[in-house]
Amino acid sequence: MSAQPEPALLYSEEEEALRAAVRDLLTDHCDPAGVITRTESATPQDLSLWKALADSMGLAGLLIPEELGGQGATHRETAVVLEELGRAVAPVPYLTSAVVATEALLACAADDLLTELASATSVAALAVGLHVAPGGSVPDVRLEGGTLHGELTGIADAAVADVLLVPADDGGLYAVRAADVTVTPQTSLDLTRPLARVTLDGASGRRLGDSGPAVRRALRAGAGLLASEQLGLADWLLTETVRYLKERKQFNRQVGGFQALKHRLAGLWLEVAGLRAAARNAADALATGEDTDVAVAVAQAYAARVAVHAAEEALQLHGGIGMTWEHPVHLYLKRAKADSIAYGAAGTHRAALADLVDLRAP
Amino acid sequence: MTDATELRTRTKELLAAHPPATTERLDFLRARFDAGLAWVHYPQGLGGLGVPRSLQAVVDAELAAAGAPDNDPRRIGIGLGMAAPTILQYGTEEQKRRLLRPLWTGEEVWCQLFSEPGAGSDLAALGTRAVREDGGWVVDGQKVWTSSAHLARWAILIARTDPDLPKHRGITYFVCDMTDPGVEVRPLRQITGEAEFNEVFLTGVRIPDSRRLGEIGDGWRVAQTTLNNERVAIGGTPIPREGGMIGKIAGTWRERPDLRTHDLHQRLLGLWVEAEVARLTGVRLRQQLVAGQPGPEGAGMKLNFARLNQEISGLEVELLGEEGLLYDDWTMRRPEMVDFTGREAGYRYLRSKGNSIEGGTSEVLLNIVAERVLGLPAEPRTDKDVAWKDLAR
């Protein structure tokens, strides 16, 4: 194969500073017990945390150009934010609004909406089911007599969105105000990124541009940066499990001293180290535009298994306490398992790779 | 202070004085060593100029462009990677002057007499004895898994000099002359049919005290230098995508559509992804080293490659179907160096089984990751304060 440009896989000093700031804020405003309590309330998403991230740090507009009020940063910085949000399993519409919807709006050059998103006066959601992969088939709604009709399901964070970006059967992507549609929460496996059904019954919308390329770009960025969220989840699970096993005693020994468990944790550490390289590679490829399709597909073909494995190992190695509602490991397991389907399952990304790297099916 | 420009000038001077086209290979290599351009981070007079190791690339690029001969670093890898740094750190001036030049030029090949039939992963349990006699030492014992022993002039050797001390403390480090009486090398044939390694029997071998490296009883610490240097090699040149074992099977897949099945396709893609992630992890590790922030990932790289080599080569044999039932050649040969990806699929499959054993078993490496990286409690050590002679065997 031809030589690839070498990706930059380390974190810059600025990225580390950003990480520290986000982690500080999450330490103060997003503790596990609070997240668990919130999942059982009427508002599982934490909009005050969202406001703190968006207003005090300007994170909602990281990917939006400065002239539209954003930060003009790249996917590399955005990925670092997602790592930290994943570590805290934070219930905020960051990936859905500040990444996926933002990318769709950037593709359509919808400057007014981007300005709203950058200033965090609006939250947006792409009205495509969370499970759809980049290049996958996208359900749409009917455009009839100038208004939109139909029903879309599995829309992540729709419940807190002010604007929905809706694909219609004329090939257009439409901006629809949430006030003009019916959003019905679905009972979701992932309590911290709830899904909803969106019903359009003669809703009016503004055509932003062609749906195909915008949705594809949005989902590709979503898939690529989801790997950083998965890295954050896995990293927290490994760190927390190691901490617990150093503390916990059974048979008059620290449980973490038993070789059977040491080997499992060392194996998990290896997987997380690999995920860090793959996730950084995807973020860098999205930022530079080099080798992007392969980098995203590799990251998503690898990340899901690692994040889910980390959660399943953490649960098992915590013993009985891991099965309880009060211990946060279940939030991570639910998020990791939902993430394994989000923006395309691993098998879908492997199939994409088969074409990209010329390893054809029989 | 020598900088890149000055190194380039020095290299050009070497090339002008010894034009590669008209100079004998060994003469050129000796001249390069004497000019301090062999390993620039070594001291002056010992093949170097005492400048940062990273500047070696400047010299290498100039020499490669001029078509200069090299010292075949892979063939003399043990000497370069393990013996030389240990001699540099612990050797006397006389030892350094006598040993380093022919080591670097490849005139004298080195091997390593560490492992024993009863001391593999538990290397410090070794039983080869060195007894003080007439100002020197008399060595008796048996070593195993010794690559290049049949080609080697010198060996680095660790032997027990005090059985009354606990096992780590009674060991001393020597340089053994492989041509001395009492050194017997026997090929050890492996599952591949090759004899890449040897057994070495040491019977009444006399080693003068001037060939001791480091203090008496300090051999374990000296050996750590050798073993740590064994692992430094990683992080050298970047590997391209599909470098190594995965490239072999990907090539077969592309050339042989007749062999493809859906099941094999799924498994191939899964391994391709893992190999690419392992490659990226290596790229990241190298970038960390270059940035002066070495990460612990190195400890895991060997684990990754051992597992992937085994899985990929196993899948390749399966992919070949009827041809996978055949083997290229069972003739006993003694290769000068290991080539994990060479020969045919069956060879790759069998040879890769050693990847999780040689240079530290995967089980021991997992312990190292768990203890040194994750900080988990160490394995219980019941042998720490017991004299070696009193250990259960």
Side-chain angles (χ1 to χ4, degrees), chain A residues 35-325:
Chain A
V35 177
I36 293 171
T37 307
R38 182 172 295 283
T39 60
E40 294 183 284
S41 74
T43 52
Q45 287 110 330
D46 187 345
L47 287 181
S48 64
L49 174 63
W50 172 253
K51 233 178 142 37
L53 288 163
D55 289 351
S56 70
M57 303 188 65
L59 297 183
L62 266 190
L63 287 173
I64 298 171
E66 289 179 58
E67 57 268 29
L68 299 178
Q71 304 272 331
T74 74
H75 300 81
R76 293 178 53 91
E77 292 82 13
T78 312
V80 170
V81 174
L82 280 164
E83 282 182 30
E84 292 308 308
L85 294 173
R87 283 182 61 84
V89 69
V92 288
Y94 193 86
L95 184 63
T96 49
S97 182
V99 176
V100 175
T102 296
E103 288 278 343
L105 293 171
L106 285 167
C108 298
D111 289 357
D112 57 329
L113 287 170
L114 285 165
T115 307
E116 280 183 36
L117 258 58
S119 64
T121 46
S122 284
V123 170
L126 181 70
V128 172
L130 183 62
H131 64 286
V132 177
S137 85
V138 176
D140 52 27
V141 298
R142 279 173 291 115
L143 179 68
E144 234 175 64
T147 59
L148 300 165
H149 304 262
E151 188 174 270
L152 298 165
T153 54
I155 312 303
D157 293 330
V160 290
D162 305 290
V163 184
L164 291 154
L165 310 179
V166 181
D169 60 2
D170 69 332
L173 186 67
Y174 287 79
V176 181
R177 290 283 158 189
D180 300 332
V181 304
T182 308
V183 176
T184 316
Q186 296 176 287
T187 304
S188 307
L189 174 68
D190 179 1
L191 299 159
T192 56
R193 183 178 283 141
L195 307 178
R197 174 184 295 114
V198 174
T199 312
L200 299 97
D201 186 12
S204 58
R206 170 160 69 102
R207 194 181 202 277
L208 300 171
D210 289 339
S211 155
V215 169
R216 192 185 175 87
R217 171 174 167 175
L219 296 182
R220 190 176 73 165
L225 293 187
L226 176 66
S228 290
E229 175 179 302
Q230 289 165 310
L231 167 62
L233 292 168
D235 192 55
W236 183 89
L237 288 156
L238 173 63
T239 307
E240 187 58 23
T241 306
V242 167
R243 189 194 63 73
Y244 179 71
L245 292 191
K246 283 191 216 173
E247 210 171 72
R248 175 84 172 148
K249 288 205 173 95
Q250 297 275 272
F251 306 103
N252 199 33
R253 279 172 65 183
Q254 284 164 283
V255 172
F258 288 97
Q259 196 176 62
L261 305 192
K262 284 164 72 173
H263 283 193
R264 283 167 70 167
L265 289 167
L268 194 56
W269 174 83
L270 266 179
E271 292 177 33
V272 174
L275 176 51
R276 183 168 286 111
R280 278 275 90 190
N281 187 48
D284 190 67
L286 283 162
T288 61
E290 299 276 357
D291 199 33
T292 316
D293 288 326
V294 171
V296 169
V298 165
Q300 271 313 311
Y302 186 76
R305 187 174 56 77
V306 176
V308 171
H309 187 218
E312 290 176 346
E313 288 289 82
L315 195 154
Q316 171 68 21
L317 298 179
H318 273 79
I321 189 74
M323 276 301 287
T324 65
W325 192 265

